[in-house]
Amino acid sequence: GLLLPMNLPRVVPLISRALVLDVRRGAVSTGSHVRDAACYVCWAFARAYAAAVMEPYVKTLARGLLTLTVFDREINIRRAASAAFQENVGRQGSFPHGIDIVTLADYFTVGNRANAFLTIAPQVANHDAYRAGLTDHLITRQLRHWDRAVRTLASQALRLLAPLDALRAVEHCLPIL
């Protein structure tokens, strides 16, 4: 392959950053193409590397992909992230609560943005492994998003996620807000 396993420690952090890139240029975002490409790379990782090679990066990639699956503005990104998550669950087998989440957040259910934010995200957040990452993304990214509709959905989603870990919401989330 073009990307040897010894280079993954340098590449995975870059992919993680690419998964959340969202730069506003006028009335549109230019980051969606980068996020889409990052999802494709995550999908390709599942196919190219053995589970033992990817094990140190599973937690990071799973959180990043799930965040996009439920909270991205663009339908094609939510679906690409869902597909990459599903491919990793199937091939790597070590994504936390993988099968449960794949059945919740499939290609069709993430197609509707409000459904992804308000129905699927709270169900995914029932799994401790993802709750903090989802709430942190809402607070640091989506509540400050350039699109008003995304900010509104993010605030509604945070209202649904906060009771799942009330202590963290009070001690960690409120001071940031």
Side-chain angles (χ1 to χ4, degrees), residues 74-145:
E74 308 296 335
I75 184 174
N76 61 315
I77 306 302
R78 291 192 307 273
R79 286 180 167 170
S82 175
F85 187 88
Q86 182 177 357
E87 188 73 18
N88 275 280
V89 167
R91 291 189 183 267
Q92 299 295 327
S94 56
F95 273 42
H97 310 286
I99 298 296
D100 293 338
I101 292 171
V102 165
T103 59
L104 290 172
D106 65 18
Y107 182 86
F108 297 104
T109 60
V110 300
N112 180 291
R113 187 188 314 166
N115 187 54
F117 271 74
L118 304 177
T119 303
I120 299 168
Q123 292 174 348
V124 170
N126 281 322
H127 300 288
D128 292 338
Y130 301 110
R131 187 178 306 130
L134 292 175
T135 56
D136 287 350
H137 183 78
L138 284 173
I139 292 168
T140 60
R141 301 257 182 199
Q142 300 305 75
L143 289 177
R144 293 173 174 88
H145 198 273

Side-chain angles (χ1 to χ4, degrees), residues 135-136 138-144 154-155 158-159 162 169-177:
T135 56
D136 287 350
L138 284 173
I139 292 168
T140 60
R141 301 257 182 199
Q142 300 305 75
L143 289 177
R144 293 173 174 88
S155 67
L158 187 58
R159 177 183 59 85
V170 170
E171 293 179 353
H172 176 73
C173 300
L174 283 179
I176 295 172
L177 296 174

